[in-house]
Amino acid sequence: MSWQRKILRVDLTAGTVTSEPLNMEWAMEYLGSRGLGTKYFIEEVGAGVDPLSPANKLIFATGPLTGTMASTGGRYTVITKGALTGAIACSNSGGYWGAELKMAGWDMIVFEGKSPKPVYLLVRDGEVTIEDAAEFWGTSVWHTEEHLKAKHQDPLMRVSSVGRSAEKGCLYAAVVNDLHRAAGRSGVGTVMASKNLKAIAVRGTVGVGNIRDPKAFFDASKAAKKVLADNAVTGQGLPAYGTQVLMNVINEIGALPTRNHKDVQFEGARDISAEAMAEKRPTDGKANLVTNQACFGCTIACGRISQMDKGHYTVENRPQYWGASGGLEYEAAWALGAANGVNDLEALTYANFLANEDGFDPISFGATVGAVMELYEMGVLTKEQIGIEAPFGSAKALTFLAEKTATGEGFGKEMGLGSKRLTEKYGHPELSMSVKGQEFPAYDSRGIQGMGLTYATSNRGACHLRSYTVASEVLGIPIKTDPLATDGKAGLVKAFQDATAVFDSAGICLFTSFAWSLVDVAPQLQAACEGDWSLENLNVVGERIWNMERMFNNAAGFTSKDDTLPKRLTTEPAKTGPAKGLVNGLDKMLPEYYAERGWTPDGIPTPETRARLGL
Amino acid sequence: MKHVILGNGPTGVVAAETIRKMRPHDAIAVVGDEHERPYSRMAIPYLLEGKIAESGTLLRHDRNHWIDNRIELVEARASSIDADAKSVTLSNGEVLPYDRLLLATGSRPVRPPIPGMHLPEVVSCWTLQDARAILDRLRPGAKVLQMGAGFIGCIIMEAIANAVGKTGGSLTVVEMGDRMVPRMMTPKASALIRSWSEKSGVEVLTSTRVTAIEANVPHAGLLSLVYKAKNTKERVQVTFGDGSTRLFDFVICATGVAPAIDYLRGSGVEIGKLGGIVVDDHMRTTAPDVFAAGDCTESVDFSTGELMVNAIQPNAADQALVAGANMAGGAARTRGGLRMNVLETFGLISTSYGQWWGAEGGDHVEVVDEAAHSYIRLEFQDDRIIGATVVGRTHHIGALRGLIQTGAKLGADWKARLQADPNKFMDAYLATALSLA
Amino acid sequence: MMNSLHIDASKCTGCLQCEMACSYENHGVFATSKSRIKVFDFHSTGRKVPYTCTQCAEAWCMHACPVGAIHEDKALGAKVVNETTCVGCKVCTIACPFGTINYVADTGKVQKCDLCAGKPACAEACPTGAITFVDASWTGLDRMRAWAEKLDTNAPTA
């Protein structure tokens, strides 16, 4: 069974908490987490809703494998209409919080309305209350978590919360759990803060039981763990180097977006790479990287734990930043570094700490810094406006802007708009490196063509986690395709999108997919859960989820015109590297993709497609 | 060699087993004056609650344990000992010679000098026989007065209250001190236990004395009409310090215990100022080859270095191990007993350790959540923890013993962390005492 | 040859597979709060420390038990709680200076690591070799024992 078959509904306007049975009919069609949470959302919320209005809802959803011994079974998803994008948003996080919620006896929490005053939700198994958060509204995620654990005298309590950036309306604010794991993208934290909801503190002692066939489950999960351990990426690369293993690789193939995508290779890439994190610093003789760390149930352990140089200008005499904490992942290192031309690893680490401490998405933030720096170099924005000189490559500007964004003060308010609104405001919308309002992650689609289609069609705006064709185009997983070609990418993207929806909805981490395919996931689901979780059905479930999200976006006003890329990527050829002279071939891939999907040339699922998927 | 052990509680039994392990061929006799197989008083509350049968109170459950270990069980009371002749005279007139003698006679309940304490409706809660007497009288609808809200009083409340029920029945607890469990809990912790008990339906009267107990004989015939008010099922009338009177079905006296040492008069075994047997760190008394351990002794308080009468189960077991080893020819020492107690009152669990009341020149951290009935207070001397009181949490609680008894230095960092969040004591213990962090 | 749990904290990633395995083995659910082995997360140093009973020779829990509910499995060296006999008095929990025997409110009994009758589920589940079940002489148990001697009550030294 593996679902707890119970969800919490929290009406923040009325201040009530009710328990209701999980809709098992939907669970059979949408699995859990991303898929099932989105089904609930779409059934309950009109597509036209203003993301920051009380009518928007916010759903925290676990999957059937969350809180089990399936490797990486600790994930949860936050689903809402995104503050940054106005599209369907679902941001996924690891750490321990999701499993704790499941172990408390709940599959999902649906928040609706808006509390008249700052509150937090306290979940202790079946005892769930809305509590006053006035005492720590206006404080950081880090403070909130410490405060709640001490207040409730429970060091093992798990906390998911928003920081000051969310309270101040930063449109890419994250929900952060366990100090440095985040449902990072699309502004799900902004929606949470808009409801006057500061935190969800959970302690679960009920546990997750009712595994349908325990012996089969242990056999399947054990076999799948062995696949992870034996795989070079999940067994060696990720534990040793984290996602940062990619920095030098992506730079070499000429797909590392640099200085707001003006360049595709960064001369400082090595300085901010995994290799640099592991080397001893000349200043204090210690390495930036302290250790790797796992999330709940994860047998990969790609997480980075870093410790800063106490003498670095950002943290001198500030011991609160001297301890070990969540270090740079590849996307953050790129966004805070290459995207702005900054190669000071310690400055990047500091900015990353701030992103965790006050809960903002380092990708959207870093990319917005890139846009601001370009505007500064063009003379559109001045030192007086920004508060600091901000040319490309300025670590001081990066950390200054991170501090301002964290607290929403001064120019931090402008930063919180994200690159789309900020560049529009200053008359240069073409400088926003985003799709549907959400900034690109760390792969230049001139050097990795499939990623252009991935970004353009992603349901939550530009994102690498909706179809990570980098796996195929760069790493050769499951088959090697040519990163510079557009041929076959439509089918590749569709296959990745559908499979990813299943991984996300099961409650496991997408990184398992470096080693696992659905062939490895299906037996685990089939042993744990009732229902048909054969490979064939899972493929349909994935496709159903993708189309459901698409239909919501269509209803929210998104059309094929929004399946696009910034002009820079389709008109300014890459200057160096293997992709030199290339632009992204989206115009070729997109019609193929619509056809693959069974959509009209306008990007709308045909009645046949909808009927086939039961939508 | 013959070892005689007076007392068949946990102390006597652990000592006997320790001797047996080290001396396979010695003779061992354990003397107990109750007509029971060796049992544990600690288990009585669970018997009263009906969670276990009488057999569940047994110290050792294997019927052959005593035969297999060649431990002779003697049912008798020691009347006197002759340290020169190395013999014990028993209540049945028998004389038991010994080579090594262990005094492990524990405590006896103490009753305050109040008129009426002799009435059959006043029962103690100490022995299995007492428990049977209470169970005989406990029935739904009974009105019970319990004198004493110390450790024993608090641990049996739940059983009594549940048995008498809430329709008609009642439990009133009267305590002379100004709070419940005053010798084990800080005022805040006591207050939590009190409010929790009251929420559970118990009436708690502190700073209150019982001054007299009288039989309330039901009247028959014509007199019953005249004395209608008094003609009730309640059997005793209790007078309180303020002169008020109330009727109860029966009274449980749990006002404390004292070392059971009557038989030592004139023996030459020294009795200390606190009324317990004086022992050295080898658990030797002042008489040659006579050892003593457990609740009947006065021993050094690890925290203060002062003497205390030890009524703490784990310390009794430690002392029994030391005494047993030395009687068997070993050389074990104790460096004093650490105060430690755990109490469950209507499911609310409380513990205290060491110098929980604090030390001069020390400091403390205290966190209380009254709504959740959770509480912790740590007492520091410099950067060491010297005492602790915890309510509503049991996980890893033993680490507090580890921290206190090893005298682990926390350093400024961990002390500060504990001052911010004292519930991180297990982390502090791993980081400091075990150097694992 | 007696085996015991060997814990190498430097290899622990904090995945809690051990806690899940332990709780499933003993309670039939994945519930880290019910686990007898606990991973402590020292955030500021990045260190994760799995910790459970070392089956110490002193066996404070066993000696303190007033009803003989804890016995030593001679073959394994494990101190094992007999749930039928345990009355739930919690005296062992305050007596154990390592904090590794704990009261379980659901069952009204105490629980501690019993080495799973010789096949510890935690060691089996650990993906990094941080927890292994090996010959006791390899475990650094001596270091633990040396530490135990710092405690100010003495076990017999005959």
Side-chain angles (χ1 to χ4, degrees), chain A residues 96 208 225 293-294 297-298 324, chain C residues 13-15 17 30 44 48 124:
Chain A
Y96 301 98
V208 177
K225 282 172 194 166
Q293 178 171 306
C298 174
Chain C
T13 60
C15 74
Q17 285 278 347
F30 301 117
S44 63
K48 318 279 182 296
E124 171 88 358

Side-chain angles (χ1 to χ4, degrees), chain B residues 233-264:
Chain B
K233 69 181 173 60
E234 289 88 355
R235 309 281 297 185
V236 287
Q237 174 177 292
V238 175
T239 309
F240 294 97
D242 63 359
S244 64
T245 61
R246 284 169 65 178
L247 297 173
F248 293 98
D249 285 28
F250 71 103
V251 177
I252 297 171
C253 181
T255 49
V257 295
I261 47 157
D262 293 352
Y263 61 98
L264 291 176

